[in-house]
Amino acid sequence: MDIQKIGIVGAGQMGNGIAHVCALAGYDVILNDISQDSLDAAMTTVRKNLERQVSREKITQADQDATLGRISTTLRLPDLGATDLVIEAATERETVKQAIFEDLLPHLQPHTILTSNTSSISITRLASRTDRPEKFMGFHFMNPVPIMKLVELIRGIATDEPTFSACRKVVERLGKTAATAEDFPAFIVNRILMPMINEAVYTLYEGVGNVKSIDESMKLGANHPMGPLELADFIGLDTCLAIMNVLHDGLADTKYRPCPLLTKYVEAGWLGRKTERGFYDYRQNPPVPTR
């Protein structure tokens, strides 16, 4: 099928990035959120990121103007009913995602493809709660969306070939690369990345090294562009913990047990950059390790 209009649920860090790249690629985009403040902040972020691309001569001023003109925002979920493809990018909680799909289903066209940007939750299970499991799949962008080139495409057990092909064409039009992943907990990237981050937290928890030495060791010793604790703060410690819990619950292997220190930080509300405190304190410049 020919996808022309894309609906995005959730205007946060991922949602506004997805809106940005889809509109830049020529799709008409409807961005939905339950908060007007979130929608306004999302459009401010999209505009700022487009301006950065113009200043670096990645796109033209005309491209920026056209992209912004293709994005509309709404507080009403039913307004997404007229779209050809819906990408859900809400909080990484299965109950929230299920409630969104339940509210959205009565308003969708028969041909509309439903997808989730989930980073770890079972696509088959999410699809089974809808009226179109064959037209449902995982569409997992990497953060930050305008920069990262990979998209994981995850089929559920019922996903049909036309749905997969249509989503792959969207990825190609966005100028990104699709990696096909099977529907197992955390898929490919987070199945490998999150246990590494969790192990870095255990290394801190057990006193093997402090925050600075752990991050410097991986940056200078393994040539990582960002240390694992710095990366955890960037992703959000609540998201890291949620994915580790999905791995631990879904695979029933003790090697995926979330580090108690990671749980403690999340319980404290120290979630990383978005709350200004995590493994680093971002209220100071430059950020200072908290352990």
Side-chain angles (χ1 to χ4, degrees):
M1 63 169 288
D2 184 27
I3 292 172
Q4 297 183 6
K5 198 167 193 177
I6 297 176
I8 299 165
V9 183
Q13 192 175 40
M14 297 303 293
N16 73 61
I18 296 168
H20 173 153
V21 298
C22 289
L24 185 58
Y27 292 106
D28 291 323
V29 173
I30 305 178
L31 180 62
N32 162 263
D33 202 279
I34 57 174
S35 160
Q36 186 61 51
D37 288 345
S38 294
L39 290 172
D40 293 343
M43 292 308 299
T44 298
T45 299
V46 171
R47 185 174 290 104
K48 189 192 309 177
N49 288 338
L50 286 167
E51 286 170 354
R52 187 179 295 116
Q53 288 180 302
V54 171
S55 70
R56 294 176 180 173
E57 299 183 348
K58 302 284 188 184
I59 63 172
T60 66
Q61 184 63 50
D63 291 332
Q64 175 184 323
D65 296 341
T67 298
L68 290 170
R70 292 188 195 104
I71 304 175
S72 60
T73 61
T74 181
L75 294 168
R76 298 185 66 256
L77 200 56
D79 290 346
L80 273 60
T83 60
D84 305 308
L85 167 67
V86 173
I87 303 172
E88 171 274 315
T91 305
E92 188 69 358
R93 289 207 303 271
E94 189 165 349
T95 53
V96 172
K97 295 178 186 297
Q98 287 175 345
I100 288 167
F101 293 132
E102 191 174 312
D103 290 346
L104 189 57
L105 287 173
H107 308 285
L108 295 179
Q109 302 174 89
H111 73 268
T112 302
I113 293 172
L114 269 180
T115 67
S116 176
N117 184 57
T118 178
S119 51
S120 61
I121 298 168
S122 167
I123 298 303
T124 297
R125 196 164 62 240
L126 288 173
S128 72
R129 301 291 293 269
T130 74
D131 63 356
R132 59 194 70 206
E134 73 286 348
K135 293 187 182 301
F136 192 107
M137 65 181 297
F139 208 129
H140 181 216
F141 289 84
M142 305 295 128
N143 185 34
V145 179
I147 294 171
M148 302 297 279
K149 295 294 186 184
L150 186 75
V151 178
E152 285 182 317
L153 292 180
I154 307 103
R155 301 177 195 244
I157 197 169
T159 306
D160 63 24
E161 187 57 39
T163 297
F164 177 78
S165 296
C167 289
R168 185 168 54 193
K169 285 177 185 173
V170 172
V171 175
E172 290 168 357
R173 183 163 159 183
L174 297 181
K176 297 188 182 295
T177 298
T180 305
E182 294 300 318
D183 185 24
F184 289 99
F187 320 130
I188 296 172
V189 173
N190 283 318
R191 172 75 177 265
I192 297 166
L193 176 64
M194 285 303 158
M196 184 198 77
I197 287 175
N198 194 52
E199 195 61 31
V201 183
Y202 266 115
T203 306
L204 179 65
Y205 176 63
E206 293 169 3
V208 179
N210 60 28
V211 168
K212 185 178 179 182
S213 64
I214 291 166
D215 277 350
E216 283 193 343
S217 293
M218 294 308 291
K219 283 192 284 189
L220 302 178
N223 205 27
H224 289 195
M226 192 182 289
L229 301 176
E230 186 184 0
L231 179 57
D233 276 355
F234 180 76
I235 294 167
L237 303 192
D238 52 340
T239 300
C240 294
L241 179 59
I243 295 170
M244 286 309 302
N245 279 325
V246 167
L247 280 165
H248 192 230
D249 295 344
L251 297 172
D253 192 324
T254 55
K255 73 179 180 180
Y256 298 115
R257 182 172 67 97
C259 179
L261 184 60
L262 178 60
T263 302
K264 183 174 287 188
Y265 268 73
V266 172
E267 288 174 344
W270 292 18
L271 308 181
R273 285 179 179 266
K274 61 188 172 186
T275 58
E276 296 193 313
R277 275 193 293 187
F279 292 113
Y280 292 86
D281 186 340
Y282 298 92
R283 298 170 301 175
Q284 303 180 56
N285 191 17
V288 175
T290 53
R291 286 182 86 84

